[in-house]
Amino acid sequence: MDKKDVKDFYAKLDKLYPNPKCELDYQSVYQLLVAVILSAQCTDKRVNIVTKELFKDYGTPEKMLSLSQEELEDKIHSCGFYHNKAKNILSMSKDLLEKFDGQVPNDIEQMQKLAGVGRKTANVVYSEAFKGNAIAVDTHVLRVSNRLGFVKTTNPLKCELTLMKIFDKDKWGKLHLQLVHFGRYMCKAIKPNCNTCPFTDICNYYAVHNTI
């Protein structure tokens, strides 16, 4: 795909989702980080239901650490993988207080030093909370990037690095959200809405399935 094709693609994507928003509810960078950790293998809708109650009394690292792991597991149970998520949230909160004075660092590499925080999570928080230039590759971004022919890989890091080469840096943060929305609401894993998609001309999935 040459520069003109990339420009045309982005113009269409930007028309579809001109003002994409993060669908996780939060009131602080710390709360966003907790919500992103909870969102692994879980819908944002479910996370928001859980954090609405959780953050009422435990919305800071200090307050979160007043919970035992068993108590936190009970509160986040419906998000799935609750044992590891509770362990990571408590360890991350402890790390924040001991290493970063309770503040989430405005740096992707530093953020990844926190327990339970991988590259995707750090990229989401860096892009959303700090308005940094980063592309977080979740299941939606990985799926649509393969379908549209930008990448041919199941490796999120390889996908991220390739997208960073294709698209201008100042678009990365918005692009991430646009691709998430596109994958979540149009290019769904099962029964994608090909009949309303403007990208069937470049889509590998459409070429094979021709679902219209």
Side-chain angles (χ1 to χ4, degrees):
M1 185 177 285
D2 60 27
K3 289 185 177 180
K4 181 181 182 302
D5 291 333
V6 171
K7 186 176 180 180
D8 290 345
F9 166 82
Y10 188 77
K12 292 178 182 177
L13 185 66
D14 201 41
K15 188 174 180 180
L16 272 180
Y17 306 104
N19 297 294
K21 303 294 183 185
C22 174
E23 295 184 306
L24 292 169
D25 296 334
Y26 64 95
Q27 297 297 320
S28 67
V29 183
Y30 172 75
Q31 290 183 8
L32 174 62
L33 180 52
V34 171
V36 176
I37 291 173
L38 289 174
S39 71
Q41 305 295 313
C42 183
T43 66
D44 288 359
K45 183 177 180 181
R46 168 54 56 185
V47 172
N48 288 339
I49 291 171
V50 169
T51 56
K52 182 178 181 180
E53 295 303 315
L54 180 66
F55 291 158
K56 282 182 181 178
D57 297 313
Y58 308 101
T60 66
E62 295 89 347
K63 291 178 179 178
M64 191 69 73
L65 287 170
S66 71
L67 292 169
S68 67
Q69 180 164 328
E70 292 73 18
E71 289 171 331
L72 181 53
E73 286 178 4
D74 185 61
K75 294 180 183 298
I76 66 172
H77 190 277
S78 64
C79 288
F81 300 96
Y82 56 89
H83 179 75
N84 282 337
K85 289 179 180 179
K87 179 181 178 181
N88 286 336
I89 288 170
L90 292 175
S91 295
M92 175 273 289
S93 300
K94 187 170 183 287
D95 283 348
L96 271 183
L97 292 173
E98 293 181 351
K99 301 176 183 178
F100 299 101
D101 296 322
Q103 301 299 312
V104 179
N106 180 5
D107 181 274
I108 292 173
E109 301 304 322
Q110 291 295 310
M111 224 183 293
Q112 289 182 81
K113 293 180 180 180
L114 297 167
V117 178
R119 187 175 179 92
K120 188 210 78 173
T121 296
N123 281 346
V124 171
V125 175
Y126 181 68
S127 174
E128 171 68 16
F130 299 114
K131 307 307 175 189
N133 296 314
I135 300 175
V137 177
D138 65 359
T139 56
H140 298 297
V141 175
L142 186 61
R143 179 177 68 255
V144 302
S145 295
N146 276 279
R147 285 182 175 178
L148 295 175
F150 292 125
V151 301
K152 190 175 182 180
T153 182
T154 58
N155 185 301
L157 178 58
K158 288 182 179 179
C159 180
E160 177 191 341
L161 295 177
T162 301
L163 291 175
M164 288 166 66
K165 291 179 182 178
I166 295 173
F167 295 94
D168 293 338
K169 187 174 183 178
D170 62 353
K171 290 183 171 64
W172 291 352
K174 186 177 182 181
L175 174 72
H176 151 71
L177 287 173
Q178 289 170 321
L179 292 177
V180 168
H181 282 62
F182 177 63
R184 184 173 288 162
Y185 300 113
M186 184 172 289
C187 193
K188 295 177 283 189
I190 301 174
K191 295 183 179 179
N193 300 329
C194 297
N195 59 320
T196 58
C197 178
F199 306 121
T200 52
D201 58 325
I202 62 170
C203 180
N204 295 322
Y205 179 93
Y206 180 75
V208 173
H209 294 83
N210 197 12
T211 54
I212 296 179

